[in-house]
Amino acid sequence: MRLHWVRAGSAGSGTPVVLLHGWPQTWYAWRKVIPGLARDHEVFAVDLPGLGDSGSSPRGQGVRIAADLLDAWRAELGLDRVHVVGHDLGGPIGYAWAAAHPAHVRSFTLLAVPLHGFGLSELIARAGLWHFGFFSVPGLAEKLAEGRERILLEHFYAHAMESGAISPADVDTYLHTYTRPGRLANGFAYYRNAPADTAALTELARTRLPMPTLAVGCGRAGGPAPLHSLGQVAPATRGAVIDDSGHYLPEEQPGPLLSLLVPFLAEADGS
């Protein structure tokens, strides 16, 4: 299958960092973070399988499926051990990658979300996250969203748009891919695969992560939930909450995020 990614920094300029976006986003979600990381690292921002400009997996859309594809992509590029940073949907995918292929992952960072089976269902119930149930109904969300993609996406971006972190032009960039045939359906398919993903992550969690781990929460969206979640499967996880941030952390607070990521990655390189 075809995977699309953006690279910054030259080969050999530092240990590779792979950035995994969430829904409804693409690699573009990392545009404000990439320059700060590229000073010391070779940075890869990947469109998740089935989203952005990446093709769909013949096995369907799922967290464990995507993790295995990304590790195969890493090998195809000849990369050795990579730092993995995952936001939103990219978080559980990054965790599955680290847990299933620990020899290939130098560190793992979870942003803004808890993991399937380790706090996600509790957050859904506590915060009233209606879309998890809505998207899980086969075919319904696709039919209702067709031709109304901007209305749907802007609903989720609303807080970040009010603050200016995501502009109308940024929405246009996301819509460029999410209005293509099958793009929204692929995103919804990740939600529909949640029961299988929960079982897969629960099985993977039987072995604790051996690499350095960081969890960063958002003060206006879930707070310390990522730390409480990742700490269950990687007890040595360090964590922080960026108070003045909604869910879209890399776009809303790139500076504070970099202030946590840069020293963490440097320390992980030395461990």
Side-chain angles (χ1 to χ4, degrees), residues 88-182:
D88 187 79
L89 175 61
I93 290 174
Y95 167 73
W97 187 359
H101 307 280
H104 304 153
V105 177
R106 189 180 297 267
S107 75
F108 170 59
T109 299
L110 176 69
L111 304 180
V113 294
L115 300 171
H116 297 65
F118 298 92
L120 179 59
S121 59
E122 292 82 356
L123 179 64
I124 292 171
R126 185 172 68 251
L129 301 179
W130 58 271
H131 60 286
F132 280 83
F134 175 51
F135 293 166
S136 69
V137 181
L140 179 61
E142 291 92 325
K143 292 177 181 177
L144 293 178
E146 185 177 358
R148 304 176 181 89
E149 293 87 354
R150 180 178 290 275
I151 295 173
L152 180 68
L153 267 60
E154 287 187 344
H155 168 82
F156 289 98
Y157 302 146
H159 173 76
M161 292 186 71
E162 289 171 6
S163 69
I166 295 178
S167 70
D170 296 328
V171 177
D172 290 343
T173 298
Y174 288 130
L175 282 168
H176 177 69
T177 57
Y178 277 101
T179 52
R180 293 176 183 172

Side-chain angles (χ1 to χ4, degrees), residues 9-60:
S10 58
S13 61
T15 52
V17 178
V18 181
L19 305 174
L20 306 178
H21 66 85
W23 186 93
Q25 296 169 293
T26 66
W27 76 267
Y28 182 75
W30 300 103
R31 63 195 180 280
K32 301 176 185 178
V33 174
I34 290 172
L37 292 178
R39 298 187 185 102
D40 300 304
H41 300 274
E42 187 177 11
V43 181
F44 298 85
V46 187
D47 280 342
L48 295 177
L51 302 181
D53 289 318
S54 287
S56 300
S57 166
R59 295 171 56 198

Side-chain angles (χ1 to χ4, degrees), residues 17 19 30 33 37 41 84-85 107 109 111 214 216 254-267:
V17 178
L19 305 174
W30 300 103
V33 174
L37 292 178
H41 300 274
V84 176
V85 181
S107 75
T109 299
L111 304 180
L214 172 67
V216 183
L257 176 58
L258 282 167
S259 72
L260 295 170
L261 266 180
V262 170
F264 170 72
L265 297 178
E267 184 175 334

